[in-house]
Amino acid sequence: QPLELIIAMNKKGRLSTAIQYLHYSEDLILALMLIGLITVSSLQILLRNFFDYSFLWADPLSRNLVLWLGLFGAATASRGNKHITIDLTGHLLQGKKLHFIRLITSIFTVIVCGLVAWYSAQYVLLEAESSGTAFLNIPYWVLPVIIPFSFAVIAFRYSLQTIVHAMGLFGYKAS
């Protein structure tokens, strides 16, 4: 059974090791995208200013890398509640009241991100039916695929937060 497997893996430390590798992989992907964006943009500036030349694909690639960095970064930040928040309740409330407020906001986040993931996935599937390419022979549908992916990841992570806050509301501590 999946739940028994997860519990067994967690007791042996394998689950936390797998999660650490996942986090390192996410950080590595973000770093590589940022390095790629800086490299392409710098090269484009140098070529334009000194050689009066530019790559036709560099500007659309840079724009899409910014989109991918932002959304993948948001999904990565959601793994430990390290994203930008406006938190007035964290300083004013404690205990069950704080868990209740965070439970409500987590549920709301799951719903909104789930809807965005669903409808953006529908858009990607619609784009996949077309046969057009954007640049460097990359199909159009590949470029926005980060949108449903990142929002699905955020929804999943907030689903876990919902469980944690629901447990806190009823007096259980998540280990």
Side-chain angles (χ1 to χ4, degrees):
Q1 303 303 339
L3 185 57
E4 292 171 5
L5 179 64
I6 290 171
I7 292 170
M9 286 176 64
N10 196 29
K11 285 182 181 175
K12 294 180 180 178
R14 292 182 188 151
L15 184 61
S16 61
T17 303
I19 291 172
Q20 284 178 342
Y21 281 125
L22 177 65
H23 290 180
Y24 292 141
S25 299
E26 289 174 336
D27 293 342
L28 178 65
I29 291 168
L30 274 173
L32 290 174
M33 282 194 289
L34 182 60
I35 289 168
L37 176 63
I38 292 170
T39 302
V40 168
S41 299
S42 299
L43 183 63
Q44 189 75 336
I45 291 169
L46 289 173
L47 287 173
R48 282 183 184 164
N49 288 336
F50 295 113
F51 300 103
D52 199 28
Y53 181 80
S54 66
F55 294 117
L56 190 59
W57 50 264
D59 289 336
L61 176 64
S62 296
R63 284 192 299 272
N64 281 285
L65 277 174
V66 168
L67 174 70
W68 278 64
L69 267 168
L71 290 173
F72 197 79
T76 302
S78 71
R79 74 179 176 215
N81 285 329
K82 294 188 170 107
H83 49 78
I84 297 172
T85 60
I86 300 172
D87 187 16
L88 299 175
T89 60
H91 301 295
L92 301 174
L93 300 175
Q94 295 178 3
K96 290 185 178 187
K97 291 178 183 176
L98 181 60
H99 280 295
F100 177 73
I101 295 298
R102 291 196 174 158
L103 175 67
I104 298 301
T105 57
S106 293
I107 290 170
F108 180 74
T109 303
V110 169
I111 292 169
V112 170
C113 290
L115 286 171
V116 172
W118 173 259
Y119 285 108
S120 60
Q122 299 305 308
Y123 171 75
V124 169
L125 291 172
L126 190 63
E127 282 291 319
E129 291 176 5
S130 72
S131 59
T133 58
F135 56 90
L136 296 175
N137 288 328
I138 298 172
Y140 280 127
W141 68 269
V142 172
L143 301 176
V145 80
I146 189 65
I147 300 169
F149 173 79
S150 62
F151 279 97
V153 168
I154 294 169
F156 172 74
R157 287 181 170 159
Y158 270 89
S159 297
L160 298 178
Q161 287 295 317
T162 301
I163 294 167
V164 168
H165 293 303
M167 290 173 63
L169 189 61
F170 294 107
Y172 296 102
K173 292 196 179 206
S175 55

